[in-house]
Structure formats: C-alpha cells, structure tokens
Amino acid sequence: MKAAVISAPGQVSVESVPDPTPGPRDVVVRVFACGICGTDLHILEGEFAPTLPVVPGHEFAGEVVAVGAEVTEVSTGDRVAVDPSLHCGECHYCRRARGNLCENWAAIGVTTAGGAAEYAVAPVKNCYRLPEGVDTGQAALIEPLSCAVRGFDVLPRVLADHYLIYGAGTMGLMMMELAKRAGAGSVNVVDINPARLETARELGCSATATSADDLLGGFPRGWDVVIDCTGVAAAIQDGLGRVGRGGTFLQFGVAAYDARVQVEPYKIYNQEITITGSMAVLHSFERAGDLFVNGALRPEVMISDRFPLSDYAAALEQFKAGVGRKIQVVP
C-alpha cells in the first residue's frame, strides 16, 4: 500500500509499505480521509514522535476491511472514526483515570503507523461506528473535536460567561462552537488572518478582531474564559493579561517546547485566576462522535482543502503557511 512516511526531521515522502494486518482485537481501516494538525508539524520537525520513521496521521476515518479473530463489536463494511489514543492502562496516571497523561503514552500516527495511508490498523476499542447518513471523510473531524471536548472538560462552563479565543483555525472554530453550545454570553475571536476571522463571523461568533485591544470597549474588566488555540508565545502572553477577576485561562494550542511567557503570581493569587491546560483526548471521543453526528459542526465550512495522498508534503506546507482551515489528505 501507499503511505506518507516521515523518515527523519524535515523529510517526508510517499512510499510503498507493507499492508497492515490486524491483531486479535484490532481492525484494519481503509482510510477515506486523514486530517493534518499541528502535531504533524512537530513530528516532521523531530520534536514529538519518539522514533522515526513513522507513518503520521492521527485524525482519520474510513471503512473496516478486516477484523481480528476476537473482534465482535464491528464487522467488515462498517464505517468508523478512530480514536488514536493508546494508553497503557497500567501506570500511575492510567489507574487514576488520567490516561492522556500516561507514563507510557502512545498514539496512532505518532508512535505507531497512522492514517496518512491507504490502510491503517487500530484497536477495536478505539473505533466509533458511524451511523447511516454521516459522511465518512468528514467524520475525520471527530478526533480534533474530541480534543476540544476534553478542553471544555477542564473549564468551569458557567452559563453566560464571556469567552475570548485566540486563533480562528480549525481548533479555535471548534472551541467557539462548543462555547456557544455551553451557554456562552458572548464569544470573541482574535486572529491576524482576515480570512479566518471571516469564517468565525460566518459561524456566528459575537465579534472578531486582529487585536484584543479592539474588543476592550465591551470588556473593560477582561473575559471570564480566555482560550489560546495558537500555541504562539506572543498570543499566549497577551491572553494571560486579558483574563478577568475569577477567570480561567486555558492553554489549548500546542506551543514549541522552548516557548516561554511571564506570569504575575500576585495577580493570580489576588484575583483568583485559574491557569490550566488540556492534553489530547480523555474519555471524550465517544462524546465528540455524538456531537458530530448531531450537527455540532458544519464540516463543509471546517474542511477547506483536500489533497491526494501523493501530495502529502504539499498539504503539510499549506498547513504550515496558515492557509485554509482543516486540510485533509485523501488516499
């Protein structure tokens, strides 16, 4: 089969690799679509995957074409979205129901071969079966949505709270949609990309701006919830200063390992400000699937580009350039 392979930092190509075979509790999925996200860039840069080479792709959905000898939950022909999480289930954090912090953390498309390929193997327990009427390729959005759901798990989710979101890429837009569903009083979005801000307005945010300074007229006391979806140190630093008294700052975007920002300990203490983070997926994939199936997102807006698998490198370059929204590769 054909698959994208990151062989060394900065080196990616599409190659012929052996077809996957399922273990007793695995399935083989014919991939319909695989999304690209910031984690893939970190892998390409040699920052994230523990070993190379690896077939990337942790956001994918497709059709089951083979099942292991002990699989009864799904059958060939079923369509599924795949949770890439491979928690060990045995370490200190897994035993405390914090598998996303697993001491032996692994993930499909990060530490094992992923969905940027014609076929991929996954544990059956990681498969969310899609009902009739759901587009299989669009269902690859369930994985990033499950990360956003996890992000909301660590937020207070108080009715009529006012939100400020940095970044109007796919994840910022998903967080915006979840904030609206969580009963936000308002959702403001900041981005330096005018095209992305236009999409945020199309999806019904309260206001957009290229700088939070342009929004302060309505929020002189700051915002109840500030979410960074950029991973950019300058945006994070700015966002920390926009949290109102008793508010929460969520670090959701994936920053570079060496990124640093300054905090004000006295302000955190005196104003009872919470600073928190959220890491990947934690018991949120099933819920994200249900949200997706019931229309929480507009996939035709979220997905801006589809590339053939043979153009995987070009798809990565467009994503890196910040052009478009969710970019998918289609084997």
Side-chain angles (χ1 to χ4, degrees):
M1 72 169 185
K2 296 292 185 181
V5 178
I6 297 175
S7 54
Q11 298 181 18
V12 60
S13 59
V14 176
E15 305 174 6
S16 293
V17 301
D19 291 344
T21 56
R25 292 285 296 159
D26 295 335
V27 303
V28 175
V29 176
R30 179 169 68 89
V31 178
F32 277 46
C34 178
I36 291 176
C37 92
T39 298
D40 297 306
L41 289 183
H42 284 284
I43 295 171
L44 180 64
E45 294 163 0
E47 293 183 337
F48 209 87
T51 59
L52 296 174
V54 69
V55 175
H58 57 279
E59 305 177 3
F60 66 99
E63 178 187 359
V64 176
V65 294
V67 299
E70 298 176 8
V71 171
T72 58
E73 296 87 343
V74 300
S75 305
T76 57
D78 286 344
R79 298 169 308 113
V80 297
V82 177
D83 178 352
S85 308
L86 299 174
H87 309 152
C88 77
E90 299 177 357
C91 72
H92 171 80
Y93 294 102
C94 284
R95 293 196 306 271
R96 289 174 173 252
R98 300 297 298 274
N100 62 329
L101 306 180
C102 175
E103 293 172 331
N104 305 299
W105 187 88
I108 300 168
V110 181
T111 59
T112 66
E118 293 177 312
Y119 299 92
V121 66
V124 67
K125 67 179 181 180
N126 290 49
C127 294
Y128 177 89
R129 185 159 50 186
L130 301 172
E132 291 298 323
V134 173
D135 183 280
T136 310
Q138 292 179 349
L141 289 171
I142 291 175
E143 194 282 336
L145 181 59
S146 71
C147 295
V149 171
R150 168 59 189 158
F152 264 78
D153 285 345
V154 305
L155 289 176
R157 300 187 305 284
V158 176
L159 283 173
D161 266 357
H162 297 284
Y163 287 71
L164 175 62
I165 297 174
Y166 284 76
T170 307
M171 299 315 305
L173 296 175
M174 286 187 177
M175 296 300 267
M176 180 189 80
E177 294 288 29
L178 292 182
K180 288 156 56 181
R181 284 180 168 253
S186 66
V187 187
N188 296 313
V189 178
V190 172
D191 200 302
I192 60 174
N193 185 324
R196 289 185 168 179
L197 291 180
E198 183 179 346
T199 302
R201 290 191 293 270
E202 178 185 350
L203 291 175
C205 72
S206 304
T208 65
T210 55
S211 169
D213 288 336
D214 297 330
L215 298 167
L216 281 177
F219 296 91
R221 297 183 180 87
W223 282 265
D224 302 304
V225 180
V226 178
I227 304 173
D228 174 72
C229 295
T230 70
V232 176
I236 297 165
Q237 188 72 72
D238 190 70
L240 286 166
R242 308 292 182 174
V243 184
R245 293 174 182 264
T248 299
F249 179 89
L250 171 62
Q251 185 54 49
F252 186 78
V254 181
Y257 286 1
D258 60 354
R260 298 291 184 272
V261 298
Q262 293 183 329
V263 298
E264 301 176 55
Y266 180 81
K267 181 180 177 181
I268 294 168
Y269 146 76
N270 182 254
Q271 298 187 13
E272 293 195 345
I273 290 171
T274 298
I275 300 175
T276 188
S278 105
M279 163 61 183
V281 183
L282 182 64
H283 308 306
S284 54
F285 201 88
E286 192 87 7
R287 289 179 288 149
D290 291 349
L291 284 168
F292 181 84
V293 167
N294 287 287
L297 302 180
R298 290 173 56 187
E300 73 281 1
V301 176
M302 291 286 177
I303 301 168
S304 62
D305 298 271
R306 284 195 169 106
F307 285 74
L309 178 61
S310 58
D311 290 343
Y312 185 80
L316 276 179
E317 282 301 313
Q318 179 172 319
F319 179 87
K320 187 176 182 179
V323 177
R325 295 172 296 281
K326 177 55 65 180
I327 298 171
Q328 294 182 336
V329 291
V330 181

